[in-house]
Each structure stands twice: as C-alpha cells, then as structure tokens.
Amino acid sequence: RRAFITDRHPERVNLTVGKVQAGEPFPLKANFALDSVQPVLHANLGLAATVIAVPAAQQYRLANGTLEINARGAGLPVQPTHVASKWQTLTVDLGAGTFALDSLTLKTLGLEADATLKGNGLNAAPRITGNVEVPDFAPRTVLEKMGHRLQPQDPKVLRHASLSADIDASRTGAMLQNVAMTLDDTHINGQIGIKSFKTGALTFALSADALDADRYLPAVVSKAGKVAQPTSFDHMRLPAEKLRGLNVDGRLTVGSFKLLNLKASNISLGIAAANGEATLNPLSAQLYGGTYSGSIKAAAVGKAMKLVVDQRLAKVELGPLINDFLGKKLISGTADLNIAFNGAGDTVGALKQTLDGKFGFDIKRGAVDGIDLWSAIRRAYAVIKHQPAPKQTGPEKTEFVALNGNGVIHHGVLDDKTLIADLPFMRIDGHGSIDLVRQSVDYRLNAKIIKIPEIDNRGDLAKIKGKTVPIHIEGDFNNLTAFPDLADLLKQRLEDKLKSKLKDKLKGLFNPPRPLAGGVR
C-alpha cells in the first residue's frame, strides 16, 4: 500500500502551532490532503487540539481535540463522506508503549459512536481495549447514504438500531465482547469479531430473542415505483455471489424465528464458511409441536448455488406447517420425516428441477385435504349402477390412522416406492409420485375395503366389503381427483356368479343323482 501527505498542492497543507514549551500547553491546527493509491482514496483532514509535550519523557497529551475528514474513493459513496470526531484527552507514552483516549465521539453517515480506548504494548505486541456505544440510529439512512437503496417487504424495518460492546484488539485481530445490540424489535447479545485481519475471517457467538426475517426480504417493485407482492418462492434468487465473500466461523441461537412464513423456536446453528463454501451444522430447532435437526452444505458454482441437505423432522404437526408455507391445506397429522437431497440452481425454482436424493415418512392420525376416497368410491359405484350420484356428506378430505412411505427423489420428483395407509374403512398400498416442480400428484393405489360406513352399510355398497378397489389419484396441489376402478371389481363379481352357476349346472350334468335302493330311480 502507498499513502502519503500530498505536496503537489502546497496551498492544501496548512500547519499552525503556538509557542512550544516542554510541559506547557500550546494550540495545534493542521489541514492537509491524504492520497492513497491502493486502495484509491482521497481525503482532506483538519486537526485541532491543545498539546502538552514532554519529549524527554516521550510523553504527549492532546486535549479537547477535533478531527474532521472529507473522503472519497474505493468502498465509499459517490458523494464525499464526512467524518467528524472529537475527544477529551489523548495521552501517549512512547517509552512505555501506552496510550489512553477518553470520551471519543465520532459522527458519520447518520450515526454516532462514543468510545473510550486504552492501548499497551505499542512497541512490541500492541493491544487495544475499551468500550464503544452507538446510540439509536436508522440503518436504512446509513445504507442509503452509502448508495444502497432498500425496499424490504415491511417499510417499517431498518428504522432503529443500537450497539454497546467492549473492544479487545491486537495486531492480528479484533473482538467486540459483551455485545448488546438491537435491530428494530430484535435484541442480540454475545461476541463478534475479526479472527484474522490477514484473511478477514469473522467469528461470532450470538443469541437473539426474536427475528421475523420475512420483514427484511426484498419486495418486488413495479415500473410505477409501487411496492408489489413479495417475490414468489420459486423466483427467489440464491445468494451464490454473497457466499463467495463469506469467511465466517460462528454459532447463533434464536429464541423465535420466522422465514417464508415458517415459524420456529429455540434455533441453534453453527456456521463455517470460506472459499465459496458454507456448512450449517449442527442445525436444530423446535417447530410446530416437534423438533428439527439436520445439516446444510452450500457451495457457489458459477452463478448458481449447489446444496447438499440432510433433514429430520420428529413429531411435527404437518397441517399448520404446510398451511403457513404454501398458504393451503394439503395434509395434516403428526409426522416423522427423513429427507436427504442435493441440487443446484440460481433460483429456488431452478434448484427444485435438479433435486436428487431419498426420503421416508411416517404420519399418524391425519388427513389428506382436497380428496374424499370413500365419497369417490360411492360416486363411481353409482355411475356403474346407473344410480343418481350421492351428495357429498362431509368435507373433501380422507382421514387416516397411519400413512407411511419411502422412495427416491430425481429431478425434483419424489418417487414413492411403497405407500401404505390405514384408513377407518380401508387399507391402502401402492406407489406414486409427487412432482415438486409442476406441483402435481400421481398415485396408483389398491384399497381393500374392510368396513362399510354406517351411512352405506345397508345398501349395495355393502357387497364390496372385503374387496380390493384400484384407485388412481392425480391432479395438482390445488385440485386432486380420485378415480376408483369399480368396473373390473363388479365385472369380476359378475363373472364369479356366472362361473358359480355354470359350475352347478355342469355338476348336475356330469354327476347325476345316485339311484335309490331297489333299483328305483
């Protein structure tokens, strides 16, 4: 790096010093320009203080000091950045290698910071300690002054933030300890710092009470400049480029959390990220009456992100979870779920098209919404018997006692190899698929009728008790349809009757009655 006080413009270098006498205060004023080549930086500085110098003891004191900077260059906003600072006393002892800075106040970009610092070991292994306070400020204002215009889904966020922490820095790194930070309604405590100035590695151990991340997600803005509906889930871009810039090793706990309308509590995660790769492990939470655990590995590949995911849910209530996530009712029940998959894409939708892996699930006492299997069987039976279609007597759903299956995932399609379900009136087995990309369902099932509901117990439907009915379920997530194949069943029943009658006739033909005693027929 090259930095120097410019001498190309002598009129830009001004220094005013009062009468200098050892041990006696004198005024100091200085104005000069500072140019840096790497990184590119141009700054004008103005310094004023009352100085007491004792050169023989290598001790210096700057009291009631001010420093103002106007800077522009790499990493700074297009408009010059103004920094104003003042302090009560700055004491430096070069012989002892120490300094003390009291009541420092710094203002820039709409925020203010107050700090008190001490340093020692300046001649060998420097170490700086102290504390910093950043009173309430608006992060949105600071970001806008830095050239970042944000339009989150909730316009009320990024209005308030504050920070209080202890400082501990050395030549190799720096830490903020005893951190007490707020962001809008969220309170955060712990420690955070730069583990290595050389690599820029960030380390942290933080805990937050509550965070609604949905409020901070970007909203879609129309051409008229109005905030539209939030970005759809499939069109949400994956942060591959941001992943490349991460160098992090830390741990975070959150009391309650919401993202994509999914709610969780007691979240604990460890994160390690470097060289365009990141791992979240361990990863655990409580959600929807159960627990979640797993790991996520992400890597930036070109403009896309590659994910390797291993997830486990235990005793989770599926109904409210799916309703919160998709905004619709699909299936309910208490679920255990294991799923492991990998995929790559630049958006969530593109990622779904590449998913490959395996899954298994076991759901107790729930229902599949949007379809009533028994009602479908009743209607199919009525059609075959040329009877009026029965009216729907309840909600369009199929309740079950147990539902489980397992299979593989290929290109975003869940191929369920073995589906088994116990229903109040039938037992089901079969196979099928769920297409996450097209949001469609296609299942081929065999339903053995073990009981006839009371409403149909005395009708013709009682005749199919004990029989197996093939059922085809298809449709999208919003409109599922069941097609029971009763024709084959009734055809087989008719054939069985004909065969029975034919057998009786053949039996009578080839096995005539035996003659009575005495030869009388």
Side-chain angles (χ1 to χ4, degrees):
R1 294 189 176 185
R2 295 174 56 199
F4 53 88
I5 297 176
T6 181
D7 58 1
R8 292 173 295 169
H9 305 284
E11 69 277 7
R12 294 174 62 191
V13 180
N14 297 291
L15 179 64
T16 302
V17 181
K19 183 179 179 181
V20 179
Q21 185 176 350
E24 297 295 329
F26 63 88
L28 169 68
K29 290 185 179 181
N31 293 281
F32 56 90
L34 177 67
D35 292 335
S36 173
V37 178
Q38 293 181 346
V40 176
L41 179 67
H42 306 285
N44 294 315
L45 296 87
L47 171 67
T50 298
V51 181
I52 298 177
V54 185
Q58 294 185 295
Q59 296 176 346
Y60 303 90
R61 177 186 176 94
L62 281 73
N64 300 319
T66 62
L67 175 64
E68 295 203 22
I69 304 172
N70 286 290
R72 57 185 175 84
L76 296 177
V78 176
Q79 299 296 325
T81 300
H82 179 71
V83 180
S85 64
K86 62 180 181 179
W87 63 89
Q88 184 173 327
T89 57
L90 170 59
T91 303
V92 180
D93 189 329
L94 296 180
T98 63
F99 81 87
L101 178 60
D102 295 327
S103 303
L104 170 67
T105 298
L106 183 147
K107 296 180 180 180
T108 185
L109 298 173
L111 61 81
E112 177 181 327
D114 301 314
T116 297
L117 303 173
K118 292 183 179 181
N120 56 62
L122 301 183
N123 300 325
R127 183 183 180 189
I128 299 173
T129 59
N131 60 74
V132 61
E133 297 276 347
V134 181
D136 184 69
F137 69 98
R140 183 190 296 260
T141 301
V142 175
L143 291 169
E144 288 178 351
K145 289 185 176 182
M146 295 179 66
H148 303 293
R149 295 194 61 84
L150 303 178
Q151 290 187 296
Q153 292 184 18
D154 185 350
K156 296 180 181 179
V157 300
L158 299 175
R159 299 294 187 184
H160 297 280
S162 64
L163 170 68
S164 173
D166 295 331
I167 299 172
D168 190 349
S170 67
R171 181 178 292 170
T172 58
M175 290 294 297
L176 292 179
Q177 298 175 332
N178 301 316
V179 170
M181 180 166 49
T182 63
L183 175 62
D184 298 317
D185 300 324
T186 302
H187 300 83
I188 304 168
N189 300 96
Q191 63 180 28
I192 184 171
I194 300 175
K195 185 161 46 175
S196 169
F197 290 135
K198 184 177 181 180
T199 63
L202 182 70
T203 182
F204 65 87
L206 298 171
S207 62
D209 55 355
L211 176 61
D212 183 350
D214 285 340
R215 301 173 66 194
Y216 297 88
L217 293 178
V220 176
V221 181
S222 66
K223 293 182 179 180
K226 296 182 178 180
V227 176
Q229 294 297 319
T231 304
S232 71
F233 184 59
D234 280 352
H235 289 88
M236 187 174 295
R237 297 197 67 82
L238 298 174
E241 289 302 320
K242 293 182 179 179
L243 184 61
R244 286 190 174 89
L246 284 182
N247 192 339
V248 180
D249 183 9
R251 187 174 185 88
L252 174 67
T253 60
V254 184
S256 65
F257 182 72
K258 183 163 83 75
L259 177 63
L260 301 174
N261 207 40
L262 290 174
K263 306 174 186 68
S265 61
N266 295 328
I267 296 174
S268 177
L269 69 88
I271 177 172
N275 303 317
E277 297 183 357
T279 300
L280 297 179
N281 187 35
L283 185 55
S284 64
Q286 294 178 341
L287 70 167
Y288 298 93
T291 60
Y292 160 85
S293 61
S295 65
I296 300 175
K297 295 181 179 180
V301 182
K303 294 182 179 181
M305 178 180 287
K306 180 180 179 181
L307 288 179
V308 179
V309 177
D310 187 1
Q311 312 286 286
R312 293 172 294 280
L313 298 177
K315 311 296 183 196
V316 171
E317 294 299 328
L318 278 183
L321 186 155
I322 293 176
N323 190 50
D324 282 350
F325 186 50
L326 298 177
K328 62 189 73 171
K329 293 182 179 180
L330 291 179
I331 187 170
S332 62
T334 304
D336 292 338
L337 170 67
N338 299 305
I339 184 167
F341 62 83
N342 62 78
D346 58 346
T347 66
V348 173
L351 173 70
K352 283 163 56 174
Q353 297 180 42
T354 68
L355 294 183
D356 288 308
K358 58 183 179 179
F359 69 93
F361 60 89
D362 186 4
I363 311 173
K364 304 295 186 185
R365 300 193 179 281
V368 177
D369 284 88
I371 187 170
D372 185 343
L373 282 183
W374 183 252
S375 179
I377 291 174
R378 294 175 70 210
R379 289 194 297 270
Y381 189 86
V383 170
I384 293 174
K385 302 292 284 184
H386 302 288
Q387 299 173 352
K391 294 181 179 181
Q392 181 70 28
T393 57
E396 287 279 355
K397 67 178 182 180
T398 298
E399 295 182 346
F400 58 82
V401 178
L403 175 67
N404 58 76
N406 62 80
V408 298
I409 308 169
H410 183 60
H411 290 175
V413 178
L414 280 67
D415 185 5
D416 191 350
K417 301 292 187 181
T418 56
L419 178 74
I420 299 175
D422 288 328
L423 280 62
F425 309 114
M426 63 188 86
R427 290 193 180 96
I428 293 176
D429 64 76
H431 60 89
S433 64
I434 301 175
D435 192 328
L436 298 178
V437 179
R438 296 176 177 83
Q439 296 192 349
S440 62
V441 175
D442 187 359
Y443 268 85
R444 308 283 176 161
L445 306 174
N446 292 309
K448 183 175 183 180
I449 310 301
I450 58 174
K451 183 179 179 182
I452 305 298
E454 190 66 29
I455 189 173
D456 296 313
N457 197 34
R458 297 182 180 180
D460 288 347
L461 277 170
K463 299 174 183 177
I464 67 172
K465 181 180 179 180
K467 305 299 182 180
T468 298
V469 180
I471 299 176
H472 180 201
I473 298 178
E474 65 177 12
D476 59 39
F477 289 176
N478 294 314
N479 186 23
L480 293 178
T481 306
F483 301 96
D485 188 0
L486 289 174
D488 287 344
L489 177 64
L490 296 179
K491 180 181 177 182
Q492 183 64 47
R493 185 166 177 266
L494 181 59
E495 289 177 352
D496 290 345
K497 285 185 176 181
L498 291 175
K499 287 179 181 179
S500 179
K501 290 181 178 180
L502 181 60
K503 185 177 180 180
D504 289 341
K505 289 183 178 181
L506 291 174
K507 183 177 180 181
L509 180 62
F510 292 102
N511 297 287
R514 292 184 179 181
L516 298 175
V520 179
R521 289 186 178 271

